[in-house]
Amino acid sequence: MQNPFTPSFGIVPLYLAGREMILSDLRRALQNGPGDPSLCSIIVGPRGSGKTALLSCIADEAMRQGYIVADTTAVPGMLEDILQRALDASAEIVTRHSPKKVTGISVGQFLGIEWQESAPPKENWRSRMTTLLRELKKTDSGLLITVDEVRASLDEMIQLAAVYQLLIRDGFKCALVMAGLRVHCNQLLDDDSTSFLRRAKQYPLERISDTEIDRAFRKTIESSGKQIHAAALKSAVNASGGYPYMMQLVGFSIWEESGERKTIHEQDAEKGVHAALQDFQNGVLNSTYRELSSGDRTFLRALSDDVSENRVSDIAARMNKTAGYVSSYKLRALEAGVIEETPGKTLMFSIPFFREYLLAHED
Ligand SMILES: Nc1ncnc2c1ncn2[C@@H]1O[C@H](COP(=O)(O)OP(=O)(O)O)[C@@H](O)[C@H]1O
Ligand SMILES: [Mg+2]
């Protein structure tokens, strides 16, 4: 029996825990097309919360609905990448079976010719996107652009947002779904030239409820040929802390512990959870900790002292430093993805168990 859990970044799990609401919103938006508010969305969450996996599921849904998908990451060259991927995807659609009657010349061929003729491109990105969308429109198809790991510091990210707004204004069926760490999404939304993105629908990936994690464990295990005892399931759920990456680590280890047996027992769960915590510590906590300066660590320890009163002013008082000093460390920690700031300006850890880890390590 093959282990069905997927403790690797970017891999879509067998069962997605707790994302039904977001997926149904997006499913509806893709069906509705222009005008639906979720057609432009931002998925916000810490590392390991399942952003990349969710983008892939949204892309799959879009393809089922006959959209072509251009999936990219916010790195230099992303605009060209979007066009190239859209082109590849449209060629594929036609060779498979067209979603809705593509006649005569295929989207892929048409754009293929366009593409070759325009290399090096004489037209700007907007006009090439317009050509693409106009062709897609003839076949009643649309385009979904997904951008992972958004960064406001990338010029092309800003350009994409600006052009997207114009394409929407022209009435094209074009969806844009982005994902990133809270700090990067906020920077993007704060940029004056992308102010229209403030109207984008935001989906924060928060802690998943124990009920949902429980269900995903059970479905993953049972559909893959094993059973799990109630007590074992309970410890697996507790150890996951509502965090997708941890859930996969725990699931993977308890499955391995049960070997060839058909049932995962309490002892398997006990050993498996221990192994998963060890893996999490080696893979995530140690490396995150090593990347921090000693000033960062001091700041984060002051943050971990009190879990409720964690605004900059509280921490400054606790550290006996100025608010300006504390703010500069806050920015560094946000940038590193270690903490998040709530809309109420309270700071909290975004990586599970990191607080406990910090308290247990004295440099
Ligand atoms: N909703 C979910 N339920 C269960 N496991 C998930 C879910 N989303 C993602 N995962 C798993 O969690 C891990 C991290 O997912 P990933 O999408 O790479 O996170 P991110 O992009 O936010 O860092 C992967 O092992 C993936 O299989
Ligand atoms: Mg990711």
Side-chain angles (χ1 to χ4, degrees):
M1 278 176 283
Q2 207 194 333
N3 196 320
F5 290 92
T6 53
S8 304
F9 283 88
I11 307 273
V12 177
L14 194 53
Y15 283 94
L16 214 58
R19 303 284 181 242
E20 206 27 66
M21 197 272 286
I22 306 181
L23 283 171
S24 72
D25 263 22
L26 264 300
R27 200 177 293 130
R28 186 211 58 220
L30 292 164
Q31 268 158 10
N32 286 343
D36 193 292
S38 297
L39 219 50
C40 179
S41 295
I42 306 186
I43 298 164
V44 184
R47 220 162 275 136
S49 60
K51 299 179 296 297
T52 304
L54 189 54
L55 283 180
S56 301
C57 293
I58 294 166
D60 286 345
E61 174 58 31
M63 286 189 265
R64 271 194 294 275
Q65 291 194 28
Y67 279 76
I68 66 163
V69 177
D71 50 349
T72 193
T73 303
V75 291
M78 68 180 282
L79 295 182
E80 281 308 316
D81 192 47
I82 289 171
L83 263 170
Q84 186 63 53
R85 294 207 160 239
L87 183 65
D88 293 348
S90 49
E92 205 177 291
I93 277 195
V94 227
T95 46
R96 247 189 305 142
H97 52 94
S98 68
K100 297 189 184 145
K101 73 265 164 203
V102 184
T103 50
I105 57 165
S106 70
V107 180
Q109 281 166 350
F110 177 86
L111 285 165
I113 296 160
E114 278 290 293
W115 185 261
Q116 281 166 5
E117 282 180 349
S118 58
K122 289 182 230 58
E123 296 181 299
N124 67 16
W125 194 72
R126 180 183 169 195
S127 45
R128 286 187 290 152
M129 285 301 282
T130 304
T131 309
L132 169 79
L133 286 163
R134 207 172 274 142
E135 283 310 300
L136 287 176
K137 198 171 184 173
K138 288 183 192 159
T139 70
D140 210 8
S141 181
L143 172 69
L144 164 68
I145 301 171
T146 73
V147 184
D148 205 357
E149 293 171 33
V150 302
R151 269 170 198 283
S153 54
L154 187 70
D155 280 349
E156 288 178 64
M157 191 71 235
I158 309 286
Q159 262 187 62
L160 167 65
V163 171
Y164 179 75
Q165 180 178 19
L166 299 171
L167 296 172
I168 288 299
R169 206 184 57 192
D170 291 342
F172 288 119
K173 190 169 163 187
C174 186
L176 174 62
V177 183
M178 297 163 283
L181 298 179
R182 163 70 62 196
V183 60
H184 295 140
C185 294
N186 284 352
Q187 283 165 1
L188 183 65
L189 298 174
D190 286 345
D191 196 297
D192 281 339
S193 47
T194 57
S195 58
F196 109 99
L197 282 183
R198 288 175 212 151
R199 270 175 280 152
K201 187 94 181 188
Q202 281 196 43
Y203 292 103
L205 298 188
E206 283 152 1
R207 190 183 181 286
I208 298 175
S209 75
D210 285 353
T211 323
E212 300 275 7
I213 296 275
D214 181 295
R215 190 180 310 143
F217 264 125
R218 198 186 287 279
K219 280 184 163 175
T220 309
I221 292 167
E222 290 177 358
S223 69
S224 308
K226 288 200 192 225
Q227 300 288 318
I228 181 163
H229 268 176
L233 180 57
K234 194 155 189 277
S235 4
V237 171
N238 282 341
S240 304
Y243 180 66
Y245 180 55
M246 193 64 195
M247 182 205 147
Q248 298 299 329
L249 279 175
V250 169
F252 190 86
S253 304
I254 64 175
W255 180 283
E256 288 298 300
E257 286 296 335
S258 68
E260 292 304 309
R261 274 177 283 112
K262 278 282 202 184
T263 304
I264 301 176
H265 293 285
E266 214 176 336
Q267 308 88 282
D268 301 327
E270 211 173 284
K271 285 194 201 147
V273 162
H274 183 76
L277 285 168
Q278 208 61 48
D279 287 345
F280 190 69
Q281 175 150 337
N282 293 335
V284 177
L285 301 178
N286 286 345
S287 52
T288 306
Y289 189 78
R290 270 201 305 273
E291 285 163 13
L292 301 169
S293 71
S294 83
D296 293 332
R297 294 174 190 169
T298 310
F299 160 74
L300 290 166
R301 287 206 180 89
L303 175 66
S304 65
D305 275 351
D306 189 315
V307 283
S308 54
E309 298 294 314
N310 270 330
R311 284 178 302 268
V312 166
S313 54
D314 305 316
I315 300 163
R318 229 176 284 147
M319 290 179 78
N320 206 10
K321 298 278 186 198
T322 63
Y325 177 92
V326 170
S327 288
S328 68
Y329 281 104
K330 178 189 86 173
L331 280 182
R332 286 172 55 87
L334 283 170
E335 187 66 38
V338 179
I339 62 167
E340 289 201 61
E341 187 168 33
T342 65
K345 299 285 175 209
T346 294
L347 304 178
M348 43 182 214
F349 287 95
S350 55
I351 302 176
F353 312 114
F354 197 64
R355 176 173 176 271
E356 292 75 3
Y357 182 90
L358 267 175
L359 294 176
H361 287 74
E362 282 299 332
D363 268 321

